[in-house]
DNA sequence: CGTGAAACTGGAGTCGT
DNA sequence: ACGACTCCAGTTTCACG
């Protein structure tokens, strides 16, 4: 992971389909040298995957919310993972410092389906209560989505 | 946006470099038909970009936090956007329902740089106070990152 | 770890249906 | 709209510095 690797990753983030030759001309290497670095970064897991960024609104997932999860007593992270993985609307979840046990990011079609997803999460026996913040408008979105 | 478009997008999400021919064989179309659909989805903005998913830890951004932002009086979303865009550690921010004015997702190298970023956000005159939740462990991460 | 050139594969555009 | 075809750019692999 040197400066050239970082430069290549930055360029790939902007356009994962950029030809190796063009990447090479920008970082001062030949196409095959760039390919070898990209292969190495992919094998090492630094580059996890080549994906597409989809506009959630146009895909029919325009409604999102962040939910703080409060559990009864002590719940193992593994249990939380099991509960939250079962709900397809859950895009992201993590245990956090502070009052809440976990922070959950939910995405769905509309408010109704958001409420349904929330209700399914709340119905888990270890979940005591939740506190929701529905997203009104996005201000910043650096990795997009 | 029909079922085939959705299937193509799902496949591209898993591997954005999959050849059109292979996508076609999976959804039951020819390579050129798939290309036309992908071109159309890209032009329409449904597919925003072709990118790479990078492991934040291996890239040196292993520390993240979610911050609730509380402002003095009423602050226009445009002002919040300006303030938060200025801070590179801010990955995502949105205005939300509930007590807080905005929810901010921050990513940085370590706790020290996280604190520095937080301090810069708090120093904005319209910001009254913040409430932070540092991420301990990720439980679910469907679009990864 | 780098380059350059060979062989090959997938992409872009244009047909015809 | 889809499929088939051609041409070329880009990828891939290899021998070599």
């Amino acid at each position: 992971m040197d400066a050239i690797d970082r430069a290549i990753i930055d360029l790939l983030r902007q356009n994962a389909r950029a030809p190796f030759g063009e990447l090479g001309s920008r970082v001062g290497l030949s196409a095959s040298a760039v390919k070898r670095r990209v292969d190495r970064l992919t094998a090492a897991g630094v580059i996890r995957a080549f994906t597409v960024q989809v506009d959630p609104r146009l895909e029919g997932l325009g409604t999102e919310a962040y939910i703080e999860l409060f559990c009864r007593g002590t719940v193992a992270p593994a249990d939380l993972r099991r509960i939250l993985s079962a709900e397809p609307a859950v895009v992201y979840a993590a245990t956090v410092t502070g009052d809440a046990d976990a922070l959950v990011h939910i995405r769905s079609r509309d408010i109704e389906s958001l409420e349904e997803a929330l209700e399914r999460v709340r119905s888990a026996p270890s979940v005591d209560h939740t506190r929701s913040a529905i997203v009104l408008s996005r201000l910043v979105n650096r990795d997009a989505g």
Side-chain angles (χ1 to χ4, degrees), chain A:
Chain A
M1 260 303 259
D2 60 0
I4 297 178
D5 283 343
R6 254 182 287 272
I8 291 173
I9 286 175
D10 278 345
L11 291 168
L12 282 176
R13 247 205 273 260
Q14 290 161 44
N15 178 19
R17 288 182 144 190
F20 289 132
E22 196 186 307
L23 297 176
S25 68
R26 298 213 187 206
V27 301
L29 287 177
S30 71
S32 22
V34 173
K35 177 184 168 11
R36 240 190 279 179
R37 279 173 180 264
V38 172
D39 285 346
R40 183 171 48 72
L41 289 167
T42 307
V46 179
I47 295 175
R48 277 201 172 151
F50 289 77
T51 43
V52 288
Q53 278 178 8
V54 179
D55 189 324
R57 285 166 306 186
L58 298 178
E59 207 206 5
L61 291 172
T63 309
E64 52 182 332
Y66 285 86
I67 297 161
E68 287 176 285
L69 212 68
F70 300 86
C71 296
R72 285 185 235 285
T74 318
V75 177
D79 290 333
L80 281 176
R81 173 179 284 119
R82 191 175 38 73
I83 293 165
L84 295 169
S85 300
E87 174 52 50
V90 172
V91 170
Y92 174 97
T95 54
V96 291
T97 63
D99 299 336
D101 292 297
L103 190 64
V104 181
H105 184 187
I106 282 188
R107 228 193 259 284
S108 63
R109 218 180 69 248
D110 47 38
I111 295 283
E112 289 82 31
S113 52
L114 195 72
E115 188 176 17
E116 287 164 22
L118 181 57
E119 205 42 56
R120 282 192 291 273
V121 169
R122 294 168 74 136
S123 70
S126 47
V127 174
D128 185 67
H129 66 284
T130 59
R131 203 168 72 91
S132 304
I134 297 170
V135 169
L136 297 174
S137 73
R138 295 185 210 173
L139 301 169
V140 180
N141 204 359
R142 276 205 223 288
D143 49 32

